[in-house]
Amino acid sequence: MLRRLLERPCTLALLVGCQFAFVAYFSLGGFRNLTSLFGRAAGPVFDYSRTHDVYANLSRLLPRQPARPDPAQPLPFCPERSPFLVGPLTVSFSRVPTLEQIQAKNPAVQEGGRYQPSTCEPRSRTAVIIPHRNRETHLGHLLYYLHPFLQRQQLQYGIYVVHQAGNSTFNRAKLLNVGVKEALKDEEWDCLFLHDVDLIPENDHNLYTCDPWNPKHVSIAMNKFGYSLPYPQYFGGVSALTPDQYMKINGFPNEYWGWGGEDDDIATRVRLAGMKIARPPISIGHYKMVKHKSDKGNEENPHRFDLLIRTQRMWTQDGMNSLTYTLLAKHLHPLYTNLTVDIGTDPRAGRGRRGPVPGHEGQRYRSSTSLFREEMLRKLPRDAAGWGDQGLSLSPRLPTATAQQPLVGNGTQGGAGSLPAPGITQRSPEAAGEGNVHPESSAGAAAVQEEGALPTRVNNQSLPRGTR
């Protein structure tokens, strides 16, 4: 009876179909990714045709007198979900606000871009780290929307803008490594938000807190991608990691000079370290991008494919444990902490770009490597869990070697004068009432050569994905 049943064509087709479904389920990352690809992901529903002003409810958060009846009495914890959230926000780039206007609308923000709720104990301490160069307009838009956005979530937070000095090729990932290291020197932050300067959140239910188990990709629905995830392992734009998670993946790679590839490298590191990518519901993770042309000095990285291929064997050697940079200045501005750093130059800059692909003369390298990307990221490491369990010990103040040295003129540092002691923090001229001065116009700077002290390991077993 059973033999006859198995010999029927319909039974054979059913078995093959079940096997295919089983393989597809695990290859695409389980039920969550399957629903995002073939259906609507579960989550709250918001009407984005009815938006709210970003500064709504902000006056209710201002401290009142007396702020605390009994200073000796500890404050209660803030609710897990703030009652001041409004949902979808109105985001417009028609006018560029000045820093003075933003400061006037956010009186509770302290020097250095710090904020802490006055009526309750925050449940999360979040550092927002923004890589930056020649994007003052974008920075103004982001600060205008981000400060009230975070205050209504009742978080303790600080905003760090990491400015790359000089005119060498831009290196987003290395700047984020520098920002993480410098931020952890200031305070033991619970959560690190790595934030592109041109992305504005559109829903304040998108909480700027970390997932305790896995790195979180936050900007999953950007308007430039039609408010959808471009591919399952995309990790660009805005992401969030705890300091332990950040050290477990050895931070971000330092070798990606120019546009492209570093976010795919990071997604591979997450898998190699035995973790997964967490995401908020797609109805919440909405972001609007400030339109802009391609940046000079941030051209497409022609070496990104080569770098991605070697991620499996280099991720434990290229990252926080190989980070070197010089801290030129640290300024506490009213709305953010500005870090001006020299991160060196691209060692491949003089080698030129690759020629056209044979048979496709005159065409640029297309991002049609999605099949390569998907295939590489499906291959799980054989011993990544072992290395991940070993982990990298987290030290908020990593060992550094300080050296005082003269500054080399790079077009971003003005004037001459005696150098302050290494590691000094300079207060913003406008914060001290000395007028509106550009963040990088200080006469002196602190030169600090940083080197990580994390252990390395060379035997890795997985392959990376292609570029964006």
Side-chain angles (χ1 to χ4, degrees):
M1 180 68 179
L2 181 61
R3 183 176 179 181
R4 291 181 180 178
L5 184 63
L6 293 175
E7 289 177 351
R8 292 182 179 179
C10 59
T11 304
L12 181 61
L14 181 62
L15 292 175
V16 172
C18 292
Q19 184 178 11
F20 175 79
F22 180 82
V23 172
Y25 176 83
F26 287 101
S27 297
L28 295 174
F31 178 75
R32 178 179 296 181
N33 283 342
L34 281 176
T35 55
S36 65
L37 288 176
F38 302 109
R40 175 169 294 182
V45 178
F46 292 95
D47 183 6
Y48 281 88
S49 65
R50 302 179 62 183
T51 57
H52 304 81
D53 180 63
V54 70
Y55 283 90
N57 293 336
L58 195 62
S59 60
R60 297 169 58 188
L61 294 170
L62 296 178
R64 297 182 176 90
Q65 295 294 336
R68 297 178 66 174
D70 184 6
Q73 189 72 18
L75 290 173
F77 278 102
C78 299
E80 292 187 6
R81 185 166 294 273
S82 170
F84 304 108
L85 304 181
V86 296
L89 304 172
T90 304
V91 178
S92 173
F93 307 129
S94 58
R95 294 183 179 180
V96 182
T98 65
L99 294 181
E100 290 77 12
Q101 291 172 338
I102 303 172
Q103 183 181 358
K105 294 179 75 69
N106 294 274
V109 176
Q110 302 299 313
E111 189 180 51
R114 301 292 193 93
Y115 174 81
Q116 183 171 353
S118 60
T119 59
C120 59
E121 188 69 24
R123 292 181 178 270
S124 178
R125 293 173 296 176
T126 299
V128 181
I129 301 169
I130 306 167
H132 174 266
R133 187 175 65 181
N134 301 329
R135 294 282 194 91
E136 281 71 21
T137 299
H138 298 173
L139 181 60
H141 285 307
L142 180 60
L143 294 174
Y144 178 85
Y145 288 101
L146 195 57
H147 273 297
F149 176 93
L150 295 174
Q151 291 174 58
R152 282 207 308 277
Q153 294 185 4
Q154 294 184 296
L155 304 175
Q156 178 182 346
Y157 69 86
I159 296 180
Y160 293 83
V161 176
V162 190
H163 178 83
Q164 180 175 337
N167 299 317
S168 60
T169 306
F170 194 70
N171 191 324
R172 171 182 178 267
K174 191 171 185 179
L175 290 174
L176 290 173
N177 279 342
V178 173
V180 167
K181 196 165 188 178
E182 292 296 325
L184 290 177
K185 291 179 181 179
D186 289 346
E187 189 163 338
E188 293 185 5
W189 300 103
D190 300 326
C191 184
L192 306 169
F193 254 74
L194 300 318
H195 209 297
D196 281 358
V197 72
D198 56 359
L199 288 178
I200 312 299
E202 296 186 82
N203 191 325
D204 60 9
H205 286 267
N206 187 3
L207 301 182
Y208 271 39
T209 58
C210 282
D211 184 286
W213 298 281
N214 295 297
K216 183 169 71 171
H217 178 234
V218 186
S219 56
I220 67 170
M222 290 187 275
N223 63 332
K224 78 167 186 175
F225 295 131
Y227 291 108
S228 62
L229 193 65
Y231 51 89
Q233 296 302 323
Y234 181 66
F235 203 72
V238 183
S239 54
L241 301 89
T242 67
D244 285 330
Q245 292 166 359
Y246 198 86
M247 298 303 176
K248 193 174 182 180
I249 65 172
N250 194 19
F252 287 3
N254 298 314
E255 302 302 323
Y256 286 83
W257 299 87
W259 181 89
E262 80 283 347
D263 52 351
D264 294 320
D265 187 299
I266 297 162
T268 303
R269 289 171 180 245
V270 171
R271 284 180 172 258
L272 290 169
M275 296 182 289
K276 298 180 180 179
I277 298 176
R279 290 188 174 96
I282 200 166
S283 61
I284 289 179
H286 277 221
Y287 281 79
K288 182 174 288 188
M289 174 175 283
V290 185
K291 293 182 179 181
H292 59 90
K293 298 179 180 179
S294 59
D295 300 324
K296 184 178 180 180
N298 192 28
E299 292 82 7
E300 192 174 86
N301 182 1
H303 308 291
R304 61 189 186 277
F305 299 112
D306 298 332
L307 293 170
L308 284 165
I309 290 174
R310 25 172 258 167
T311 303
Q312 59 162 343
R313 58 185 176 85
M314 293 300 296
W315 71 289
T316 57
Q317 304 172 46
D318 174 24
M320 289 296 283
N321 59 358
S322 63
L323 177 64
T324 59
Y325 65 95
T326 303
L327 178 63
L328 301 178
K330 180 177 181 179
H331 289 195
L332 301 181
H333 289 270
L335 297 172
Y336 62 95
T337 298
N338 186 83
L339 304 171
T340 303
V341 296
D342 178 5
I343 59 173
T345 59
D346 181 6
R348 303 190 186 192
R351 302 184 187 180
R353 303 175 68 92
R354 291 181 176 179
V357 179
H360 297 271
E361 286 76 8
Q363 299 183 13
R364 299 173 62 188
Y365 287 102
R366 299 178 57 196
S367 60
S368 58
T369 54
S370 57
L371 294 179
F372 167 79
R373 172 195 304 126
E374 307 250 356
E375 181 63 24
M376 291 302 99
L377 282 173
R378 288 175 192 156
K379 298 182 179 180
L380 297 177
R382 290 193 289 269
D383 68 342
W387 193 91
D389 292 338
Q390 176 184 352
L392 293 174
S393 60
L394 171 64
S395 175
R397 297 183 178 268
L398 300 177
T400 62
T402 62
Q404 187 168 333
Q405 59 187 34
L407 300 181
V408 179
N410 50 28
T412 61
Q413 304 303 311
S418 59
L419 291 174
I424 190 170
T425 298
Q426 300 183 1
R427 291 181 177 272
S428 163
E430 61 264 34
E434 299 177 9
N436 186 15
V437 182
H438 193 272
E440 286 72 53
S441 62
S442 62
V448 182
Q449 187 70 25
E450 299 284 354
E451 291 189 3
L454 301 180
T456 61
R457 182 179 172 98
V458 297
N459 52 332
N460 307 292
Q461 300 294 336
S462 184
L463 293 176
R465 175 182 68 214
T467 185
R468 286 179 278 201

